[in-house]
Amino acid sequence: MLFGLSCGVIAILMLLGVLLDMRLGEATRWHPLVGFGNLAIRTEKKLNSGSGAPIVRIARGALAWMLVVLPFVLLAWILTFWLAQFDALLALGVHALLLYFSLGLRSLRDHTLPIAHALMDGDLPQARLLTARIVSRDTRQAEEADLAKAGVESLLENGNDAVFGTLFWFAVAGGPGVVLFRLANTLDAMWGYRTPRYNEFGRVAARIDDVLNFIPARLTALSYAVLGNTKQAWLCWRAQAPAWSSPNAGPVMSAGAGALGISLGGAAIYDGEVENRPPLGTGPLAAGKDIARAWRLVRMTTALWLLLICIAGVIYA
């Protein structure tokens, strides 16, 4: 396999990466993704002047994407390939560290479960404050259903972006694959908006993320369906995902909402404007306890993926 990693070795490294993430969580200082985000901000300011024809702005966005992503992917490839020639164990350690720095499983738990606890305790101001830290929508006047909906949606969608997509690309291409996926995903989150500033400049970043996430998103949606209300998840996926603006978030969140038997989507306030999003799922509106249920679904899906890769490692050892 790529980089000489057998299926069994990949399984061990994935287990190690997840264990490191759950034990240590995000690095509080010098986190690589934070540094990358700062670099992306500076690059965007220099190259996104806002002037020129649309094709010129798209080209600038493509150049910016290549300048901030490809050097790190190449560095990861050179480092892991070179180390493998001299010290295979050290090279494996680098693969595991790259996976650890790219995963966000514990971060999802640490940022969303306190919202659930605040809602179940009836502390709406605290729940609003905590929710505002993880979503871009306005939470100042949000009620319990709005906050619970935001928390569940964040868990379901970021379960794919920060966990399952990361694990998928690690299985495909090791540490360099993880770096490519997470940096591309980060740029989509920063530049992939349909606003006057980013509509053309961020188009390449958005499309690349769509391509890299296409298979992982559908595997995630399938996993949510298998581990929840399968029939309901499948029906919601088929009926509701096409209406969602994101080709990958639609399947993930519709299947997840159906699997949990709750209703998501609908109205949300962004920058003072009400945005009416397509409905997701079916059943009662999300409540505080459903955030904890969504976390359990993400956690069980992680366990399922690790179990499957371990089985593959045994079969193809």
Side-chain angles (χ1 to χ4, degrees):
M1 297 187 68
L2 193 63
F3 299 98
L5 300 180
S6 69
C7 199
V9 170
I10 290 175
I12 293 171
L13 292 177
M14 286 175 64
L15 282 169
L16 179 58
V18 171
L19 289 173
L20 284 173
D21 176 63
M22 290 303 295
R23 178 67 180 86
L24 303 176
E26 287 184 329
T28 54
R29 298 179 61 185
W30 308 105
H31 195 292
L33 286 178
V34 175
F36 174 78
N38 292 332
L39 173 63
I41 290 171
R42 293 195 296 269
T43 304
E44 186 269 338
K45 287 181 178 179
K46 288 184 178 297
L47 293 180
N48 188 17
S49 65
S51 60
I55 189 63
V56 173
R57 295 197 293 271
I58 291 172
R60 288 174 182 164
L63 175 61
W65 190 95
M66 290 187 289
L67 287 175
V68 297
V69 172
L70 294 185
F72 292 105
V73 177
L74 181 61
L75 177 62
W77 185 85
I78 292 174
L79 185 59
T80 51
F81 181 82
W82 179 78
L83 282 176
Q85 313 306 309
F86 302 97
D87 192 326
L89 191 60
L90 185 58
L92 294 178
V94 172
H95 280 289
L97 282 176
L98 290 174
L99 177 58
Y100 157 64
F101 281 121
S102 300
L103 280 170
L105 182 61
R106 175 169 166 175
S107 176
L108 282 179
R109 183 197 70 182
D110 291 349
H111 284 92
T112 57
L113 287 189
I115 300 172
H117 296 152
L119 288 174
M120 288 186 284
D121 290 340
D123 191 347
L124 204 57
Q126 178 68 4
R128 288 169 176 161
L129 177 64
L130 293 170
T131 306
R133 294 175 181 174
I134 65 169
V135 298
S136 57
R137 68 192 73 176
D138 190 344
T139 64
R140 287 172 294 181
Q141 302 299 321
E143 299 300 327
E144 177 183 357
D146 302 311
L147 300 172
K149 179 171 62 176
V152 172
E153 289 175 359
S154 181
L155 266 167
L156 295 176
E157 183 175 11
N158 286 296
N160 175 68
D161 292 344
V163 183
F164 308 121
T166 303
L167 293 176
F168 174 86
W169 280 103
F170 185 80
V172 170
V178 158
V179 172
L180 171 63
F181 175 76
R182 284 300 278 147
L183 297 190
N185 186 251
T186 300
L187 285 188
D188 175 57
M190 297 178 70
W191 299 349
Y193 296 100
R194 295 179 181 178
T195 62
R197 181 178 183 90
Y198 293 110
N199 187 37
E200 284 87 18
F201 182 84
R203 191 168 301 178
V204 169
R207 295 299 174 268
I208 291 175
D209 182 70
D210 286 344
V211 171
L212 293 177
N213 241 326
F214 186 85
I215 295 176
R218 281 144 188 84
L219 291 176
T220 301
L222 178 61
S223 302
Y224 288 165
V226 168
L227 294 169
N229 186 322
T230 304
K231 180 180 179 180
Q232 196 164 268
W234 174 245
L235 291 174
C236 291
W237 181 355
R238 289 185 60 190
Q240 298 170 344
W244 203 256
S245 59
S246 168
N248 296 321
V252 168
M253 293 201 291
S254 59
L260 293 169
I262 56 175
S263 294
L264 303 174
I269 300 176
Y270 295 89
D271 298 322
E273 299 289 333
V274 177
E275 180 178 323
N276 290 303
R277 304 166 306 154
L280 296 167
T282 184
L285 294 175
K289 60 183 176 59
D290 293 312
I291 297 177
R293 293 179 61 228
W295 160 248
R296 285 195 294 271
L297 181 61
V298 170
R299 186 184 63 195
M300 288 190 301
T301 302
T302 305
L304 175 64
W305 282 41
L306 292 176
L307 175 62
L308 292 176
I309 192 64
C310 288
I311 292 173
V314 171
I315 293 174
Y316 297 105

